[in-house]
Amino acid sequence: MTPLGEILARRIAQNGPISIAEYMAECLMHPQHGYYTTRPVFGSAGDFTTAPEISQMFGELLGLSLAQCWIDQGQPDPFVLAEPGPGRGTLMADILRATANIPGFHAAARIHLIEVSDRLREVQAATLHGHDVTWLDSINALPDAPLFLIANEFFDALPIRQFTRDRQGWREHQIGVNNAGLVLGLSAPAPISMLDHRLNDTNPGDIVEICPAAGPVMDEIADKISANGGVAIIVDYGGWHSFGDTFQAVQNHKQVGVLGNPGQADLTAHVDFENLTKAAQAVSVSDLVTQGALLERLGITRRAQLLATNLTEAALESHIGAHRRLTHPDEMGTLFKAIAVFPINQPPPPGFTHDA
Ligand code: SAH
């Protein structure tokens, strides 16, 4: 067992089973043994690759969409340019490079990164060398100013709870311990008021997930945008409505068992965009769009062609592959989705629609 596995097994033996949310929080963020706090997680040497790590085009196009909103909203100065869960800082670096020639944008931007891992804060500082950056522990510490925020694969790292419906109520998936190590089990059935709305579209035996932290975070972002203006673009993998078991562990670019190596594998779950949309009060929320469609609307094909003119051989192959990975339905194009949150009297950012 990993050192964190030993710690959790001892805790469970003393106090009883823990929820998946508690397990996930410890595995990802334990100060000494957590995944994000201790490991070089990104890129080919790490365990997984995110869209900004695949190609600079992702951050460039989304950054320009944000900047267009800033212009449409009268170029507020100062404004907060924020990113929760910035990973290596690549997305923010690409946004800043793409917006460098927009008059007044950099001068007005107050860059804020929301990151809990000290180790990743150091990596982000190196990537964003030369920029004035403030780090915060949580969204609610952001200053009161127009907020232009982007989050990619942030919500999928927030801890989830999982439940199986049965005839008497919901049984929570929990982690216990036996001689073989950590094991999954089910609590006794109980009514769960947060899941009342799922009684209509599920049957006994079905699994649903909730992410208790996601709604409050979204609510805070929406509050700031409704009070001060701005926009938030949220990109993640998942769909409209959580259904089934989406809790997964990835290590060395491969899917592994969720209980196998606590603290040494990345743990994520699909993001429930319906939940995020419902939590965003007093603002408009765009229609849900796939990452592929969003990037196409923002002009990724033209941008890819332009970048390709300077490339040959292996670099060109890899660039073509990156375009495909970001947009193709068999790759990230449809699994990843996005919404934008913006003030009620404003149009949605470029790339997004708003039918309601
Ligand atoms: N957005 C980046 C990285 C995504 S990985 C990219 O696209 O490449 C998830 C990031 O969220 C990591 O930086 C991790 O440390 C951070 N994170 C996870 N939970 C967090 C929390 N509760 N608060 C702030 N940051 C968190």
Side-chain angles (χ1 to χ4, degrees), residues 248-263:
Q248 69 161 17
V250 169
Q251 198 170 6
N252 290 325
H253 299 268
K254 283 195 210 67
Q255 199 156 339
V256 297
V258 289
L259 300 183
N261 299 313

Side-chain angles (χ1 to χ4, degrees), residues 52-330:
E53 302 296 334
I54 290 171
S55 168
Q56 67 186 73
M57 296 186 289
F58 182 81
E60 289 172 349
L61 296 169
L62 293 176
L64 291 173
S65 180
L66 271 193
Q68 184 63 50
C69 292
W70 176 75
I71 292 169
D72 291 344
Q73 292 186 29
Q75 311 186 0
D77 179 3
F79 76 95
V80 172
L81 179 59
E83 185 185 358
R88 291 175 50 180
T90 309
L91 175 55
M92 185 54 80
D94 291 339
I95 291 173
L96 290 169
R97 198 185 54 258
T99 54
N101 293 328
I102 295 176
F105 188 77
H106 280 207
R110 304 290 178 269
I111 304 167
H112 286 76
L113 301 180
I114 296 102
E115 175 59 70
V116 283
S117 160
D118 287 337
R119 201 186 55 74
L120 283 174
R121 285 185 181 199
E122 284 172 26
V123 177
Q124 291 151 17
T127 307
L128 296 169
H129 182 73
H131 292 284
D132 197 357
V133 177
T134 304
W135 278 270
L136 300 172
D137 290 330
S138 70
I139 301 264
N140 75 3
L142 283 169
D144 279 329
L147 173 62
F148 291 76
L149 176 145
I150 194 150
N152 182 57
E153 290 209 53
F154 167 68
F155 284 96
D156 69 6
L158 299 182
I160 56 140
R161 295 172 69 185
Q162 241 181 13
F163 300 87
T164 292
R165 183 169 172 189
D166 85 357
R167 291 184 194 289
Q168 279 95 50
W170 299 94
R171 294 163 69 103
E172 180 155 15
H173 295 217
Q174 295 181 316
I175 293 158
V177 64
N178 67 14
N179 295 339
L182 300 177
V183 287
L184 277 165
L186 294 175
S187 75
I192 303 282
S193 59
M194 284 174 298
L195 290 175
D196 282 351
H197 68 295
R198 302 307 303 271
L199 292 172
N200 304 326
D201 70 341
T202 57
N203 293 306
D206 288 342
I207 296 176
V208 299
E209 298 171 339
I210 54 176
C211 179
V217 168
M218 194 68 234
D219 183 38
E220 275 178 342
I221 293 172
D223 251 10
K224 293 202 182 282
I225 290 174
S226 90
N228 303 311
V231 63
I233 295 178
I234 314 285
V235 187
D236 226 308
Y237 84 125
W240 189 259
H241 231 53
S242 114
F243 191 80
D245 175 10
T246 74
F247 184 39
Q248 69 161 17
V250 169
Q251 198 170 6
N252 290 325
H253 299 268
K254 283 195 210 67
Q255 199 156 339
V256 297
V258 289
L259 300 183
N261 299 313
Q264 297 178 2
D266 185 40
L267 300 178
T268 58
H270 281 202
V271 169
D272 180 341
F273 282 94
E274 180 187 37
N275 174 41
L276 293 184
T277 298
K278 278 188 179 160
Q281 297 287 315
V283 286
S284 297
V285 183
S286 75
D287 304 318
L288 185 66
V289 59
T290 64
Q291 175 171 303
L294 174 63
L295 294 176
E296 288 302 344
R297 288 177 191 161
L298 292 174
I300 193 169
T301 300
R302 253 180 305 146
R303 180 68 183 136
Q305 285 163 349
L306 195 70
L307 289 170
T309 56
N310 298 321
L311 300 172
T312 54
E313 298 173 21
L316 179 60
E317 287 294 305
S318 130
H319 172 62
I320 293 168
H323 179 202
R324 181 187 150 88
R325 261 184 97 178
L326 290 180
T327 56
H328 198 279
D330 292 342

